[in-house]
Amino acid sequence: MSRPHPAGEPAPRHVLILGGTTEARRLAAELAERPCVRVTTSLAGRVTRPGSLAGEVRTGGFGGAEGLAAWLRGRHVDALVDATHPFAGTITANAVRAAAATGTPAVILRRPGWQAGPGDLWHPVASLAEAADALPALGRRVFLTTGRLGLAAFAHLSGLHFVARSVEPPEPPLPPDTRVLLARGPFTPAGERDLLRAHRVDVLVTKDSGGAATAAKLTAARQLALPVVVVRRPPLPEDADAVAHVVADVPAVLEWLGRRERPRLSGR
Ligand code: NAP
């Protein structure tokens, strides 16, 4: 919980974090320590046990950009932080539209994507459907780490064996020959190498999520000379730069918030 502010002082600034990522959790923990900030994290509600979060938490969709805009106005939000996953494109588009509609200062936190290095055998694709199309030419035993909601795109591939890893059980439909592994990162290159060998994997599929917690599989694939199908990120909305500040990490968000001193920033 945020610390109470002393009587007679201006009400704390209200920061809304659109969450669901490690960075959002870290940011909430940092801000909840500050006496002059009230922090609310918003979760989509997809994960059944999201773990404890510092500050206030609300769960579930807002009802599109208009619903989010109403929430920003109604709860007197002074700053909006989109710290959602790089593949959560709809909520980011809604955040940009709602910030523009309400004049709420906004920042988008996008962790950098992964970069291929020497020895990497990457096959970039634009979507999960393209990843599925690419697979039969690349291997027969697939390590799939596209998240529990991303398996339907591969469900028609009956000739391949899949090892699908996710934090929570995947949503059907699944490919007919699928072994599910439930695990939460961070993972190590040695552990990932052992896993790839144990399951005799010959191709990986991942989203370009970025971040250190799940990058070890890429190191392991390089060491074992395995091809990796990498699904590219959706682009940020066209007007994102005009409406919001875009940064790469939590310290940069804190720095941006620090530059906004006044308790209420808009004339809404
Ligand atoms: P999405 O496609 O961009 O969002 C779909 C709808 O879910 C949004 O329009 C919104 O509903 C609601 N929503 C999404 N994030 C929300 C949030 N933080 N708070 C309140 N409502 C939210 O998002 P998604 O890909 O389903 O991801 C959902 C959440 O899981 C995100 O918050 C994201 O950070 C996290 N996550 C996603 C991935 C991934 O690969 N996509 C991976 C890890 C974590 P309304 O329009 O009704 O407001």
Side-chain angles (χ1 to χ4, degrees), residues 121-216:
L121 305 170
W122 286 15
H123 297 260
V125 294
S127 63
L128 292 174
E130 264 191 34
D133 288 346
L135 274 180
L138 294 170
R140 313 303 298 171
R141 300 180 65 85
V142 186
F143 185 40
L144 201 55
T145 60
T146 47
R148 71 186 180 95
L149 302 174
L151 273 73
F154 304 90
H156 61 289
L157 293 173
S158 52
L160 307 183
H161 173 73
F162 287 88
V163 178
R165 183 172 68 194
S166 53
V167 175
E168 297 208 344
E171 290 283 320
L174 272 58
D177 184 6
T178 301
R179 169 103 180 249
V180 173
L181 305 178
L182 298 182
R184 186 192 290 272
F187 303 102
T188 64
E192 298 290 64
R193 225 170 33 236
D194 289 349
L195 185 147
L196 294 173
R197 283 197 181 117
H199 292 275
R200 292 180 289 118
V201 165
D202 51 22
V203 58
L204 283 71
V205 183
T206 182
K207 292 176 179 171
D208 178 15
S209 299
T214 57

Side-chain angles (χ1 to χ4, degrees), residues 19-20 42-44 46 60-64 84-85 87-91 94 207:
S42 174
L43 300 174
R46 308 262 193 281
F62 294 94
T84 55
H85 192 270
F87 280 80
T90 306
I91 187 72
N94 290 350
K207 292 176 179 171

